[in-house]
Amino acid sequence: MESLLIYLLTGAAAGLLAGLFGIGGGMVMVPALALVLPGQGVPPEVTMQVAVATSLAVISATSISSMLSHQKHGAVIWPVFRWMALGLVAGSVGGAFVADQLASRTLALIVGCGALAVAAQMFFDLKPKAAAPLPGPTALTGTGGVIGLLSALVGIGGGSLTVPFLTWRSVDIRKAVGTSAACGVPIAWAGAVGFILSGWDRADLPSPHLGYVSLHGFAGLAIASVLMAPLGAKLAHRLPPRQLKRGFALLLTGVGIKMLIG
């Protein structure tokens, strides 16, 4: 019961920040879980694997509603999604098995670098300029594979990678965001399944768990983050957006540095 309460509080914070700053919850959940999980009996050598896996499981539960919301506005380019999804699934499953072979410390360094990269993008408002048309199916699938692999290693839905890629490839920003939201579904589901399979034989994790996915963590984070995200979004409309993004960038910088120095 105590562990579920801790996860509920963590999920509430993740949902609030995700709604407030307009980012996927993974960039908040993974570092938060990395701090919480050792106190819940998760062995230090697999703390990051459980954090990333549980984050992806939560995103898999919340990503479908996001995709449907964008689809209502006609913002998903389905032909692009279909070709990218092939690579996203393969890359995400592969990323889970790669993470299984990495030391938890190495995975923490990867997550830390990812947090710093997103922080820099938000602080300086870096946006790629349209420079080329959309590539063909093979290139879309290959790009999806790279995005899926990196997303599964960091435990995010891939928006921080997919949106810049599509924008660079001359896709309107609204459709880039909508298509990215759709791409978050195969990333999260395939990544979560990959972590379940790769961690299936782990007997040293506190119950209940499914592979590397903590079921208490999943339940608490999913419930609380879904409830708190709308509040964060409402607060975001009352605060100055530029200062808001820079404030969160500084927070992410601190998170990234913490993950790097251990």
Side-chain angles (χ1 to χ4, degrees):
M1 188 63 186
E2 180 185 351
S3 63
L4 183 58
L5 178 61
I6 290 173
Y7 290 129
L8 283 169
L9 292 174
T10 303
L16 182 66
L17 289 171
L20 188 60
F21 298 108
I23 62 154
M27 196 54 71
V28 178
M29 283 187 286
V30 173
L33 283 168
L35 294 175
V36 168
L37 289 171
Q40 305 307 307
V42 175
E45 61 270 19
V46 291
T47 295
M48 289 306 301
Q49 282 83 349
V50 175
V52 171
T54 305
S55 172
L56 287 171
V58 174
I59 295 170
S60 73
T62 59
S63 59
I64 294 177
S65 62
S66 176
M67 176 187 70
L68 293 176
S69 175
H70 284 285
Q71 168 56 17
K72 287 179 182 177
H73 294 90
V76 180
I77 308 175
W78 290 110
V80 172
F81 165 78
R82 282 193 288 269
W83 286 111
M84 288 192 71
L86 295 174
L88 292 169
V89 169
S92 297
V93 172
F97 280 89
V98 169
D100 178 53
Q101 297 301 312
L102 295 176
S104 184
R105 181 70 193 128
T106 302
L107 204 51
L109 292 175
I110 294 173
V111 172
C113 289
L116 290 176
V118 173
Q121 188 276 328
M122 292 186 74
F123 189 87
F124 296 106
D125 199 21
L126 302 176
K127 296 176 182 177
K129 295 181 180 178
L134 278 168
T138 302
L140 285 174
T141 300
T143 301
V146 175
I147 291 174
L149 176 68
L150 294 174
S151 298
L153 287 175
V154 181
I156 60 176
S160 56
L161 298 172
T162 310
V163 172
F165 166 71
L166 293 175
T167 303
W168 173 53
R169 288 296 189 164
S170 305
V171 174
D172 173 76
I173 185 60
R174 293 181 183 83
K175 291 192 174 182
V177 171
T179 305
S180 173
C183 287
V185 175
I187 289 174
W189 280 88
V193 169
F195 274 104
I196 289 171
L197 295 175
S198 63
W200 190 257
D201 58 351
R202 300 291 311 199
D204 54 349
L205 298 178
S207 295
H209 69 94
L210 202 58
Y212 281 118
V213 177
S214 164
L215 295 183
H216 270 170
F218 168 76
L221 288 164
I223 293 169
S225 62
V226 167
L227 291 176
M228 292 300 290
L231 174 59
K234 186 179 293 185
L235 288 174
H237 290 288
R238 299 179 180 177
L239 299 171
R242 185 175 178 82
Q243 286 84 342
L244 202 59
K245 290 181 72 173
R246 289 194 166 184
F248 186 64
L250 292 175
L251 175 63
L252 268 186
T253 300
V255 168
I257 293 172
K258 174 67 173 69
M259 300 299 289
L260 292 179
I261 64 177

